Amino acid sequence: MEYTPPLTHRAAAQLGVSVEKFTNWRWQMRHQCQTLDDLQGYLALSPTEQQGLTESQALFRTGVTPYYAALIAQTDPALQEALRLQVIPRKEEAFDALGIYDPLSEVDHSPVREVVHVYPDRVAFCVAMLCPVYCRYCYRKRRDEETGLHYNRQIIDRGIAYIASQPSIRDVLITGGDPLIASDAAVEELLQRLRAIPHVEIIRIHTRTPVALPYRITNELVEMIQRYHPVWVNTHFNSALELTPEAGEALERLVNHGIPVGNQSVFLRGVNDTVEKMHDLCRSLVRFRVRPYYLFHPHLVAGTAHLRPSVQTGLAVMKGLRGKLSGLAIPTYVLDTPSGKVPLQHNHMLGQDEQDLLLEDLHGEIWREKGVW
Ligand SMILES: *Cc1c(COP(=O)(O)O)cnc(C)c1O
Ligand code: SF4
């Protein structure tokens, strides 16, 4: 990297490591903050975070890249909450009466355990469970033991064999965990094997690395990926604060190599649950040529009661975006169910009056569209 963005520059200097080291994604993973002490090297932790870090570890492990920890540390303290809530456990994780471990009953929908086949034409293929950060709301918390942390030949062979045996599958989402926490060679082998299946038309990679480990998106990686086109990437920004120059560089690299990038956010209390925050996030994404794709209403995942806003709030936020943002920047608000994603939408169609269609316009007024409907 010739130009070093300020966050990277400052963080490396504070740690006393070279920029070259700090921007090496393997170094970042080796130094992932997993304990209270690790995180305290970057941040002053609140009492509820300290308690969360000591008591909630049994529920789901903690992991924060030095990059993301530095991002939190360098963000205005008044705004940090939106980042902290995503990755630092709180004592509230232990107080969730409703949350369950597999809210999508993915286990029932997995013909082989790592391939989730809900729709006829597409599957989610969970290849490995390592992540750059462990999002406290993750609904795949329980998958660890089944899939394993690292790419594993047996799992991949079995998934590939299943996909090859089902000619209706045209679209494979490679997910996890984060499938880019692996060597370029391992990712390439996977892409190669999927490309060798004639009925697989498109491949999608779901990764949070542009958000939490942007240094993973190297030139070598994108040059390799582009040999297996059409490959799409879906990433997972939840807050405009995450769209740093480092993240921008990663996104630009992907898009410049012909990889369309979409974004899937999760609707989270304290993170993006206001019109203003969602507006900033979506507008920032399109500036980086990233299309806001889905906004997921959070599931009843164990340990997330404090992060789940109501569906009413979600509908109000989405309604607030319409008219203020280009349609390009507006994601579809959905709830994922065991049988697929269901859109959650404010209904603007009020009904019919004789031959006319009655619509609620963006100012809340009734518009009567004349004609035969
Ligand atoms: C979300 C999802 C897909 C992809 O759905 P799209 O709407 O095409 O993005 C495929 N399979 C499973 C199991 C999913 O959860
Ligand atoms: S990156 Fe994805 S799979 Fe990993 S913890 Fe976050 S939501 Fe879960």
Side-chain angles (χ1 to χ4, degrees):
M1 235 191 280
E2 283 166 33
Y3 160 74
T4 307
L7 189 163
T8 298
H9 181 79
R10 228 176 288 153
Q14 274 166 9
L15 290 172
V17 300
S18 66
V19 165
E20 196 190 349
K21 240 185 205 162
F22 193 82
T23 57
N24 178 307
W25 71 269
R26 291 186 183 277
W27 183 92
Q28 288 273 329
M29 287 305 291
R30 275 200 303 277
H31 292 83
Q32 194 186 43
C33 303
Q34 298 175 341
T35 65
L36 183 102
D37 282 349
D38 292 349
L39 273 168
Q40 271 175 336
Y42 294 84
L43 298 163
L45 298 167
S46 70
T48 158
E49 289 171 334
Q50 292 182 23
Q51 207 175 328
L53 279 157
T54 47
E55 288 172 16
S56 303
Q57 297 284 34
L59 209 55
F60 188 41
R61 73 180 161 285
T62 300
V64 185
T65 51
Y67 164 81
Y68 202 88
L71 169 63
I72 299 176
Q74 295 186 29
T75 295
D76 177 349
L79 305 173
Q80 281 179 11
E81 204 65 353
L83 305 172
R84 286 174 174 259
L85 278 167
Q86 295 185 55
V87 298
I88 306 176
R90 312 222 150 178
K91 74 163 192 267
E92 287 90 331
E93 284 197 15
F95 302 96
D96 183 356
L98 292 174
I100 45 178
Y101 264 99
D102 185 14
L104 283 186
S105 52
E106 283 191 319
V107 173
D108 298 341
H109 290 84
S110 305
V112 290
R113 281 176 309 187
E114 48 289 334
V115 180
V116 189
H117 198 173
V118 172
Y119 302 104
D121 64 325
R122 52 205 192 275
V123 291
F125 183 6
C126 298
V127 293
M129 294 310 297
L130 280 182
C131 299
V133 285
Y134 292 101
C135 314
R136 306 322 299 167
Y137 50 84
C138 180
Y139 73 82
R140 293 213 172 114
K141 283 179 181 179
R142 63 166 183 94
R143 267 204 168 254
D144 276 21
E145 301 105 65
E146 299 163 31
T147 307
L149 290 180
H150 299 272
Y151 277 49
N152 152 330
R153 173 127 334 249
Q154 199 192 342
I155 295 274
I156 292 187
D157 286 353
R158 199 163 54 182
I160 296 274
Y162 177 77
I163 294 164
S165 75
Q166 303 288 311
S168 68
I169 300 172
R170 309 214 171 279
D171 176 351
V172 178
L173 276 75
I174 307 173
T175 179
D178 194 314
L180 294 185
I181 307 299
S183 67
D184 289 3
V187 178
E188 175 156 26
E189 188 187 330
L190 182 60
L191 293 175
Q192 223 162 31
R193 294 181 72 185
L194 287 170
R195 263 290 152 257
I197 303 172
H199 52 263
V200 172
E201 292 171 359
I202 66 168
I203 298 173
R204 296 192 247 177
I205 298 173
H206 280 214
T207 176
R208 221 180 171 207
T209 56
V211 185
L213 185 53
Y215 316 124
R216 176 64 189 101
I217 310 299
T218 59
N219 271 324
E220 294 73 33
L221 178 74
V222 291
E223 277 164 16
M224 180 276 285
I225 292 176
Q226 73 173 355
R227 291 200 290 275
Y228 299 92
H229 270 325
V231 179
W232 296 55
V233 162
N234 261 319
T235 185
H236 179 174
F237 288 89
N238 286 323
S239 164
L241 297 167
E242 295 169 330
L243 285 149
T244 60
E246 287 84 347
E249 209 173 302
L251 295 170
E252 185 167 41
R253 220 169 247 165
L254 289 163
V255 178
N256 286 353
H257 285 77
I259 304 163
V261 182
N263 187 68
Q264 307 194 156
S265 301
V266 177
F267 189 51
L268 297 167
R269 181 183 293 175
V271 176
N272 54 23
D273 61 339
T274 65
V275 174
E276 193 194 355
K277 285 182 182 160
M278 192 58 72
H279 181 273
D280 284 354
L281 169 63
C282 295
R283 205 185 60 191
S284 307
L285 286 166
V286 290
R287 267 209 309 259
F288 286 104
R289 291 180 284 169
V290 176
R291 171 84 160 94
Y293 180 44
Y294 283 134
L295 172 63
F296 288 103
H297 192 78
H299 295 293
L300 292 182
V301 177
T304 64
H306 60 297
L307 294 172
R308 300 194 296 262
S310 69
V311 171
Q312 297 317 318
T313 310
L315 291 172
V317 167
M318 291 306 297
K319 197 172 171 205
L321 296 182
R322 256 310 136 204
K324 290 205 191 76
L325 272 180
S326 154
L328 254 187
I330 298 183
T332 307
Y333 180 38
V334 294
L335 183 68
D336 211 353
T337 72
S339 58
K341 295 171 183 64
V342 179
L344 302 172
Q345 271 164 349
H346 176 80
N347 188 2
H348 286 268
M349 220 177 97
L350 300 174
Q352 268 176 264
D353 181 25
E354 304 275 313
Q355 308 278 309
D356 300 346
L357 186 65
L358 302 180
L359 299 176
E360 179 192 320
D361 76 10
L362 294 178
H363 306 291
E365 312 280 327
I366 295 173
W367 170 252
R368 177 182 288 268
E369 180 74 17
K370 305 235 174 239
V372 180
W373 297 96

